[in-house]
Amino acid sequence: MSTQSIFCFLISALMLSFTPAHAEKPVSGYDYLLPEMQEMQDDEFGNPGMIAVDAGAALFSKPGENNKSCASCHGDGGSKLDIKNIARYPVYSIELKKPMTLRGQILICQNERIGGPALEYASEKALQLEAFVRRLAVGETINVDVSGAMSPYYDAGKKLFHTRWGQVDIACHQCHDYHAGRTFRGQILSQGQSNGFPGYRYTAGKVVGTHERITGCLTNLRAEPYPIGSEEYINFEVYMNARSNGLQIETPGIRY
Ligand code: HEC
Ligand code: HEC
């Protein structure tokens, strides 16, 4: 970042500290996009995020080291997966006594049920599989249940979303709850919803998941990001996906 852009960032930060109205109803990042970006998302053949979805589809039917593929259990193209369930992630895993994200579940299946090759949470292939699986549920209404055993993780995620980060010393909710709709560094601030992810970041020229997107904002705030797949990011995801309840899955969204 140049000195000038740091300066602009801090001035904007000052302006942002006057916090007016609060956002209540979830609004998709899509609604804040320029019409040409909306068109790009809507066009299945022109949407650059579909490259990751297609790569995920190929992985889904590719046999693992024990000669089983994802499709052996979940049907060709995931036809036996219940898309309503996909819209419920993260869910509580009774066995592991913690929240399970969609990518986390895919990794268990990849690493144990098809016998590997074992993939890391942050790997491109894990992200492609997640993009493929989540795309199956495009248009499905997000429906995360954060009652019972999930509630402490939701609370922890909410706390993170309300924590002031980095040298810029602003919390996520100050930008994304209070200032959605305002222009910020040439972009229109959205509510920071997760329903478009995994999605294609126009400014980065690649597909990212929710964790990678949070890293983007933490880095801009000059805070130290957490590792992809970390407990903190999983708590963030629990809170953020629940905050997106009622919105439709848009994977792969086109976003800034
Ligand atoms: C041997 C059968 C088997 C294979 C192969 C398999 N899975 Fe699974 N998968 C399961 C079972 C059983 C579950 C139910 C959750 C559990 O017990 O972990 C599941 C759950 C899932 C879910 C969550 C579905 C829901 O309704 O909550 C997804 C998504 C998924 N698997 C993706 C994959 C992917 C991607 C692969 C390939 C890398 C794969 N699975 C390979 C058996 C399999
Ligand atoms: C200084 C303001 C600011 C703060 C604070 C901030 N962000 Fe952002 N965030 C942005 C901008 C700018 C974008 C890109 C435009 C948009 O979608 O809002 C963005 C985008 C996002 C998106 C993508 C939304 C979409 O639909 O594309 C998510 C998710 C997000 N932020 C999460 C977070 C989280 C989590 C935090 C706290 C760790 C955070 N943001 C803190 C400015 C901020």
Side-chain angles (χ1 to χ4, degrees), residues 29-235:
Y30 180 88
D31 294 18
Y32 299 92
L33 295 176
L34 296 171
E36 50 268 36
M37 283 172 76
Q38 291 179 334
E39 271 166 37
M40 195 191 281
Q41 176 174 317
D42 296 342
D43 172 8
E44 190 172 337
F45 301 101
N47 181 333
M50 288 305 289
I51 293 169
V53 171
D54 293 344
L59 291 169
F60 198 86
S61 58
K62 191 177 166 197
E65 279 167 21
N66 69 8
N67 270 331
K68 270 192 189 130
S69 71
C70 312
S72 332
C73 291
H74 297 300
D76 281 341
S79 58
K80 292 183 191 156
L81 283 168
D82 180 345
I83 57 170
K84 292 227 172 320
N85 276 350
I86 294 167
R88 291 192 181 103
Y89 275 79
V91 297
Y92 189 74
S93 162
I94 297 171
E95 205 186 324
L96 299 171
K97 298 193 176 59
K98 61 178 189 185
M100 180 58 68
T101 62
L102 187 59
R103 204 188 301 182
Q105 174 64 53
I106 289 168
L107 286 175
I108 289 178
C109 285
Q110 165 78 27
N111 299 349
E112 295 169 14
R113 298 207 169 101
I114 70 164
L119 296 180
E120 300 282 342
Y121 205 104
S123 66
E124 195 177 6
K125 286 182 177 165
L127 177 61
Q128 290 167 341
L129 278 167
E130 184 191 3
F132 168 71
V133 169
R134 193 133 157 122
R135 170 71 184 182
L136 294 174
V138 70
E140 196 56 45
T141 303
I142 296 175
N143 181 23
V144 181
D145 179 1
V146 290
S147 63
M150 283 293 274
S151 74
Y153 302 95
Y154 173 85
D155 291 345
K158 184 173 182 181
K159 198 172 164 204
L160 290 167
F161 203 77
H162 289 76
T163 298
R164 290 168 166 267
W165 296 99
Q167 286 173 27
V168 179
D169 198 33
I170 310 188
C172 319
H173 87 117
Q174 286 178 274
C175 280
H176 291 300
D177 281 339
Y178 292 130
H179 292 290
R182 280 215 199 168
T183 302
F184 183 74
R185 297 167 95 200
Q187 296 170 349
I188 300 178
L189 263 177
S190 74
Q191 291 181 358
Q193 299 288 354
S194 57
N195 62 313
F197 296 90
Y200 182 81
R201 274 199 77 186
Y202 200 75
T203 51
K206 62 177 182 186
V207 170
V208 301
T210 300
H211 296 194
E212 291 86 355
R213 187 64 190 85
I214 302 170
T215 286
C217 276
L218 282 175
T219 308
N220 280 341
L221 298 173
R222 324 215 100 208
E224 188 64 39
Y226 293 99
I228 305 303
S230 59
E231 214 177 281
E232 289 81 2
Y233 276 173
I234 290 171
N235 291 340

Side-chain angles (χ1 to χ4, degrees), residues 161 192-194 210 214 235-244:
F161 203 77
Q193 299 288 354
S194 57
T210 300
I214 302 170
N235 291 340
F236 256 122
E237 187 177 339
V238 169
Y239 173 71
M240 289 170 68
N241 284 15
R243 188 171 167 268
S244 289

